[in-house]
Amino acid sequence: MAPIVVTSALPYSNDRLHLGHLRSTYLPADIYARFLRRVGEDVIYVCATDEHGTPIALRAEKERVKPKDIADRYHPLIKDDLTRMGCSFDVFSRTTEGIHYETTKQFFLELFKKGYIYEQEIEQLRCPKCSKFLPDRYVEGTCPFCGFEGARGDSCDSCGRYLRPTDLKTPKCAICGAVPEIASTKHWFFKLTAFEGKLKEWLESNENIPQNVRNYALNWVKEGLKDWCITRDMGWGVPVPIEGAEGKVIYVWFDAPIGYISATRDLFMRKKDPEGWRRYWQGEGKIVHFIGKDIIYHHAIFWPAMLMGVDGFHPPDSVVAGEYLTLENKKMSKSRGWFIGIDEYLKNFDPDPMRYYLTSVAPLERDADFSTDEFIKKYNDELADVLGNFIHRTLTFLERFFESKVPEASLSDEDKSLISKIKETQDRVAKLLSEFHMRDALMSIMALAHEGNKYLNNSAPWNTIKTEPKRAAATLYVSVQVVKAIGSMLSPFLPFTAEKIWSMLNLSTSVHMESWDAASQPLPVGHTIGKPYPLFKKIKQEDIKKVKENLIPFKDVGPRVKIEEFAKVKIAIGEILRAEPVKGSKDLMFLEVDLGEYGTRPCVAGIAKYYAPQDLIRKKAAFLINVEPITLFGIKSDVMLLAADGGDKISILTPDKVVPPGSGVR
Ligand SMILES: [Zn+2]
Ligand SMILES: [Zn+2]
């Protein structure tokens, strides 16, 4: 039996996590790890916070604290949120631990000695005022692809492309705003190109890699890989461990995945078995990574290549990538406040209903939506009516008519048929889980609960108890075995509920310590069950509004303004006379606007993705007319078009009655 290490992507330690993270990464990994423990595999589930990189360094500089202070602030919060959601990590370490620095240096040095890391002089942006180089997010500017002005040195939030600082148009230092100069500096590159053939072979031959990951990664390999700059001119990170590299650190995306190994080493150091980690990562050991789809490149290209380059290691057995979660069909966004934080959710709800929702709503390899209506529906119709109801009916009936004891039974064909479904379900769930089909596995258990309800209704023990007590006994014997099976199999998915079922059945051990086969091992005749209580209380019609508000609280409007302050803002209706896309920009549109007594004014608006020029001409819309003028792409913008931001839609504000251009808006 090969040891298995299950990992979930390292959360970045500058913010708390939300439901999207839980759904794509932490929950499926937890279900998988819990299942493997139940089938008796030698498995560990490891995670850590990722604490290096420019977002933390930059934020620390702005808040005038140390980068470590930011990481210290979020590490315990992230760990606590995930643990309270039931994530059963064997270790939750940090990439600022000494063991991580040591492991990262070992990786770097071995790859360097083998010639997989080489030195090269490159041009970088440098701030003359701060007198330092500006890696990644230390630079802001205009995206060369889409014209978005808030692009950062590593990526553009508008079009989603990866960028290099030198790609940005009109770059600015993110600290002081000065225009950077170009200077040459020495850096180290990882020879990714040397691994092209091996990566291709690994991706093509490994059947355990899900289709979505394989397709993305193979396409990248076919497009051709580039060597990868893995050092940065900054002070926050693992120092580059070679001479002549003073003041430089290893790039965060080189050290972060090594964090999986150092977290494992951290675990075994605590167990006083400092070499114990090796059996998971080397030799027979199997590595299974759970990640979000935005970091497939790092886990299916960079990281396997790094592992291939270091003696004793081998690439992952699988990389499972969860797709995105939207909120009420709108993209979640931290900056817009459109998300549900794990801690927010846990203030009013138990973890299991959300674990149920996120697992059952869609297969992992497909995008999913969180909707409050659907959450309430699933809670009431599936958890309360199907699962909870079957268990409660069975156990209360046993309590009332059989002194809480499992009765003796002589089984009919129908009874036997349901008993045989227990084993079938147990095998099917195991197979589905081993192939990462979490949703289908959970649905199989729910199908058994459905069968149980149907069987109870058909057998009607509330009638047979009077006419044919032996029949009623058989029905209850079968039903309580199904309850046990469901409780047992639910443990990876709904760990808290499974434990409750276990204790209602008066089974002394923890369900999580049982073998997977416990599902089909019958409760013996005469076994006394515990006190039943309803597992899921139905959400009543009159409480729905409150429940929805607890899930998605109304947004705070922020600081209030005085009416006199608002009066300083001049808004007027203008008629658009001319509309032309701005050359070189995908977002911007030039407008000539008739503002009546305020004259005809130029306006540059970020609406080119949402309106064609001909749809705007002769339209009336609201404009902010006393805003300070700005120049975009060399074009002066004198007034600002106001529009409603509907997430993925933008709508201009058109008056619903005819009013003359220049009409003030009050
Ligand atoms: Zn862009
Ligand atoms: Zn500067």
Side-chain angles (χ1 to χ4, degrees):
M1 201 171 51
I4 306 172
V5 54
V6 175
T7 76
S8 46
L10 307 190
Y12 196 61
S13 200
N14 74 342
D15 211 345
R16 293 178 96 146
L17 300 180
H18 58 61
L19 295 186
H21 302 115
L22 193 63
R23 189 258 174 174
S24 73
T25 306
Y26 303 95
L27 183 53
D30 185 60
I31 292 169
Y32 189 63
R34 284 178 178 277
F35 164 69
L36 293 182
R37 288 187 197 116
R38 290 282 312 273
V39 292
E41 294 283 0
D42 176 7
V43 60
I44 48 169
Y45 178 20
V46 308
C47 195
T49 37
D50 171 14
E51 307 192 347
H52 296 127
T54 56
I56 285 178
L58 189 61
R59 180 161 165 193
E61 223 162 305
K62 286 180 177 168
E63 291 184 17
R64 297 179 190 281
V65 295
K66 293 196 183 75
K68 182 77 179 351
D69 296 338
I70 306 268
D72 285 348
R73 201 185 302 163
Y74 286 100
H75 170 82
L77 299 175
I78 294 169
K79 182 180 175 182
D80 186 53
D81 288 348
L82 290 173
T83 308
R84 285 188 297 143
M85 261 334 279
C87 292
S88 58
F89 303 113
D90 289 281
V91 62
F92 193 85
S93 189
R94 312 178 59 167
T95 60
T96 44
E97 294 288 346
I99 189 69
H100 178 67
Y101 278 59
E102 189 187 315
T103 314
T104 302
K105 282 177 189 169
Q106 285 166 359
F107 259 72
F108 190 99
L109 284 175
E110 182 166 340
L111 292 168
F112 179 73
K113 278 177 195 141
K114 286 184 172 162
Y116 292 131
I117 289 177
Y118 62 90
E119 190 183 308
Q120 198 181 333
E121 198 78 18
I122 57 166
E123 310 232 288
Q124 284 282 284
L125 298 180
R126 192 174 182 284
C127 176
K129 256 176 96 180
C130 303
S131 57
K132 62 181 178 194
F133 281 97
L134 301 176
D136 306 316
R137 296 205 179 178
Y138 274 86
V139 202
E140 288 167 1
T142 304
C143 172
F145 299 102
C146 73
F148 175 63
E149 291 188 350
R152 295 183 285 211
D154 56 353
S155 62
C156 170
D157 279 349
S158 179
C159 68
R161 283 190 180 80
Y162 286 108
L163 302 172
R164 287 169 304 182
T166 45
D167 292 336
L168 292 174
K169 288 183 184 169
T170 60
K172 279 195 308 249
C173 169
I175 295 292
C176 73
V179 177
E181 56 196 22
I182 289 183
S184 75
T185 171
K186 189 165 64 176
H187 276 293
W188 282 264
F189 282 72
F190 177 57
K191 212 186 239 176
L192 195 57
T193 45
F195 296 92
E196 242 176 52
K198 275 175 111 177
L199 281 171
K200 188 160 178 276
E201 195 196 317
W202 170 66
L203 287 163
E204 279 171 348
S205 66
N206 186 337
E207 284 172 8
N208 297 324
I209 300 175
Q211 203 63 38
N212 59 343
V213 172
R214 187 202 315 267
N215 289 348
Y216 278 120
L218 273 175
N219 271 334
W220 289 319
V221 175
K222 275 172 201 152
E223 282 170 14
L225 301 174
K226 278 192 195 133
D227 290 347
W228 178 39
C229 182
I230 53 163
T231 54
R232 293 294 186 270
D233 289 290
M234 60 189 289
W236 179 236
V238 181
V240 177
I242 42 185
E243 244 178 81
E246 290 71 28
K248 293 171 201 282
V249 299
I250 293 173
Y251 179 43
V252 63
W253 267 115
F254 185 89
D255 90 72
I258 297 172
Y260 298 131
I261 297 176
S262 22
T264 314
R265 293 184 73 179
D266 187 5
L267 170 67
F268 281 92
M269 274 164 45
R270 289 176 209 201
K271 289 185 175 186
K272 307 271 180 269
D273 176 17
E275 297 301 312
W277 66 275
R278 288 189 192 275
R279 70 173 193 275
Y280 296 91
W281 286 95
Q282 301 183 323
E284 288 280 272
K286 279 187 179 174
I287 306 159
V288 181
H289 295 303
F290 285 82
I291 59 169
K293 76 167 168 190
D294 52 328
I295 51 175
I296 292 177
Y297 201 98
H298 306 88
H299 285 80
I301 302 282
F302 288 153
W303 175 232
M306 286 165 66
L307 286 167
M308 286 167 183
V310 177
D311 281 349
F313 290 92
H314 51 77
D317 198 61
S318 192
V319 178
V320 183
E323 303 272 324
Y324 293 140
L325 183 73
T326 50
L327 179 54
E328 305 287 3
N329 284 312
K330 275 200 310 197
K331 198 177 158 189
M332 283 203 237
S333 156
K334 273 253 160 172
S335 55
R336 285 206 184 98
W338 189 245
F339 67 97
I340 300 177
I342 294 175
D343 59 319
E344 292 299 325
Y345 169 79
L346 287 173
K347 276 180 194 157
N348 297 295
F349 302 92
D350 290 331
D352 278 356
M354 185 55 77
R355 289 177 69 111
Y356 181 82
Y357 182 96
L358 294 177
T359 307
S360 65
V361 67
L364 197 54
E365 68 278 9
R366 265 198 254 141
D367 285 337
D369 181 52
F370 181 84
S371 117
T372 50
D373 285 332
E374 192 60 25
F375 178 79
I376 291 166
K377 192 162 174 280
K378 275 184 170 292
Y379 183 92
N380 278 347
D381 297 359
E382 298 173 29
L383 289 177
D385 281 354
V386 175
L387 185 66
N389 192 29
F390 170 64
I391 294 171
H392 197 59
R393 285 206 290 170
T394 301
L395 299 188
T396 48
F397 203 88
L398 266 185
E399 185 187 38
R400 235 176 108 196
F401 294 101
F402 295 95
E403 298 170 321
S404 298
K405 285 190 170 58
V406 177
E408 254 192 87
S410 94
L411 302 183
S412 70
D413 286 349
E414 203 200 342
D415 300 335
K416 284 180 191 155
S417 142
L418 186 53
I419 290 283
S420 72
K421 280 189 180 137
I422 291 177
K423 183 80 174 77
E424 276 169 36
T425 307
Q426 180 191 310
D427 293 343
R428 185 176 325 120
V429 170
K431 182 167 189 297
L432 288 165
L433 281 180
S434 64
E435 293 164 354
F436 313 117
H437 298 304
M438 316 306 179
R439 177 182 185 269
D440 293 348
L442 179 55
M443 291 301 97
S444 297
I445 302 172
M446 290 303 286
L448 184 62
H450 240 302
E451 288 284 333
N453 269 325
K454 215 168 78 188
Y455 169 82
L456 262 189
N457 291 346
N458 291 343
S459 315
W462 42 90
N463 292 332
T464 55
I465 190 75
K466 291 167 228 152
T467 54
E468 253 184 298
K470 282 192 171 164
R471 226 17 354 253
T475 303
L476 266 297
Y477 174 88
V478 172
S479 298
V480 77
Q481 306 305 349
V482 176
V483 169
K484 186 196 175 192
I486 289 171
S488 171
M489 289 186 286
L490 278 179
S491 83
F493 304 92
L494 312 179
F496 303 97
T497 304
E499 199 74 315
K500 283 183 195 165
I501 297 171
W502 222 238
S503 94
M504 276 198 270
L505 289 173
N506 192 26
L507 294 165
S508 52
T509 50
S510 159
V511 65
H512 305 295
M513 308 298 285
E514 292 282 345
S515 83
W516 185 247
D517 289 338
S520 54
Q521 287 157 5
L523 290 165
V525 170
H527 173 83
T528 308
I529 62 160
K531 181 84 194 144
Y533 57 89
L535 284 167
F536 302 98
K537 290 202 184 87
K538 251 184 127 155
I539 299 168
K540 293 194 199 103
Q541 193 59 36
E542 62 263 33
D543 296 331
I544 285 181
K545 198 166 160 267
K546 179 96 190 84
V547 168
K548 284 176 133 181
E549 219 192 296
N550 281 337
L551 283 165
I552 307 182
F554 293 130
K555 264 202 249 174
D556 185 39
V557 293
R560 303 276 173 162
V561 295
K562 291 206 163 47
I563 195 87
E564 302 87 71
E565 283 178 74
F566 176 68
K568 290 181 195 161
V569 174
K570 281 197 173 169
I571 299 170
I573 298 300
E575 182 172 345
I576 298 168
L577 302 177
R578 196 150 76 87
E580 282 165 17
V582 171
K583 279 204 186 95
S585 166
K586 282 185 183 154
D587 287 323
L588 299 177
M589 181 93 80
F590 169 77
L591 308 173
E592 199 174 85
V593 188
D594 175 7
L595 283 154
E597 58 195 278
Y598 300 104
T600 299
R601 311 270 206 103
C603 172
V604 178
I607 52 167
K609 279 194 192 138
Y610 308 96
Y611 287 95
Q614 63 270 22
D615 299 335
L616 289 166
I617 290 165
R618 305 217 61 83
K619 272 250 169 78
K620 283 178 180 149
F623 291 85
L624 176 59
I625 59 172
N626 63 341
V627 66
E628 287 183 3
I630 51 165
T631 301
L632 293 165
F633 281 74
I635 305 167
K636 190 182 170 201
S637 182
D638 204 25
V639 295
M640 188 174 130
L641 174 68
L642 301 180
D645 182 354
D648 50 359
K649 285 188 218 73
I650 295 285
S651 170
I652 62 169
L653 309 177
T654 301
D656 77 341
K657 290 196 188 102
V658 179
V659 290
S663 302
V665 175
R666 292 180 287 158

